[in-house]
């Protein structure tokens, strides 16, 4: 039951309070998650590190959920599991044909937008393997992925 709440909480967290369009989760079903009590953070992958605004939001959101579930963060020593995230932003272009046959004319609408993707991994440092992953993506508003 604790595993379900942990997974549910981390996904529902929407990481940093955002609502994501698509969220997927996978984990190693052979792992006994009840043995994990402490966690630590690894350096994130990519340009949005823990020192950025968005990085601090992601960490604070995940920390809040984990602490409320009885986990303790270790900043030194050997935690039971490690967390790492990767946040990426990619610009996409969509073109729409607005041809109206009954009207006899048409036009093209071109729209450019940013899509953000977030991966959050749990890693067992003793076994040196990934034990859980959640991924989410969302169309970003004008504020993008956050500041630095």
């Amino acid at each position: 039951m604790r595993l379900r709440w942990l997974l549910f909480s981390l996904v529902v967290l929407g990481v940093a309070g955002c609502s994501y369009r698509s969220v997927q989760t996978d984990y190693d079903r052979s792992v006994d998650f009840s043995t994990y009590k402490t966690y630590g953070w690894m350096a994130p992958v990519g340009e949005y590190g823990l020192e950025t605004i968005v990085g601090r939001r992601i960490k604070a959101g995940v920390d809040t959920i984990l602490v409320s579930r009885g986990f303790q963060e270790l900043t030194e020593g050997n935690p039971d599991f490690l967390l790492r995230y990767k946040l990426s932003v990619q610009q996409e272009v969509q073109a729409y044909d607005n041809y109206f046959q009954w009207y006899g004319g048409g036009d093209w609408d071109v729209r450019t937008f940013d899509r953000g993707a977030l991966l959050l991994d749990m890693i067992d440092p003793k076994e040196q393997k990934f034990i859980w992953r959640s991924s989410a993506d969302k169309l970003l508003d004008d504020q993008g992925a956050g500041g630095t």
Side-chain angles (χ1 to χ4, degrees), residues 5-139:
W5 272 109
L6 170 65
L7 297 177
F8 176 77
S9 297
L10 289 175
V11 172
V12 168
L13 153 73
V15 185
C18 299
S19 61
Y20 284 88
R21 184 181 69 101
S22 170
V23 178
Q24 298 173 350
T25 301
D26 192 18
Y27 64 95
D28 184 340
R29 284 154 178 77
S30 69
V31 172
D32 180 5
F33 285 85
S34 67
T35 62
Y36 297 112
K37 309 287 184 222
T38 60
Y39 69 96
W41 284 92
M42 296 176 66
V45 177
E47 64 184 279
Y48 298 100
L50 289 170
E51 73 284 352
T52 64
I53 291 171
V54 72
R56 291 190 305 262
R57 287 178 184 157
I58 291 169
K59 182 181 181 309
V62 173
D63 286 344
T64 298
I65 296 299
L66 290 176
V67 168
S68 75
R69 298 290 176 217
F71 293 96
Q72 179 183 0
E73 180 183 9
L74 294 183
T75 56
E76 296 180 6
N78 299 313
D80 297 328
F81 66 91
L82 297 169
L83 295 167
R84 181 178 69 184
Y85 70 85
K86 179 181 180 182
L87 179 66
S88 63
V89 178
Q90 183 175 8
Q91 192 171 69
E92 295 185 11
V93 176
Q94 285 184 341
Y96 301 96
D97 180 6
N98 287 331
Y99 180 75
F100 297 105
Q101 200 170 21
W102 57 270
Y103 179 67
D107 198 3
W108 285 92
D109 285 337
V110 178
R111 182 176 154 225
T112 303
F113 58 91
D114 291 330
R115 179 179 303 280
L118 175 67
L119 295 175
L120 180 62
D121 293 319
M122 290 175 85
I123 301 155
D124 184 320
K126 292 177 190 119
E127 299 290 327
Q128 296 186 356
K129 67 177 184 177
F130 290 91
I131 55 175
W132 181 88
R133 170 172 271 185
S134 183
S135 62
D137 73 273
K138 145 180 193 165
L139 296 180

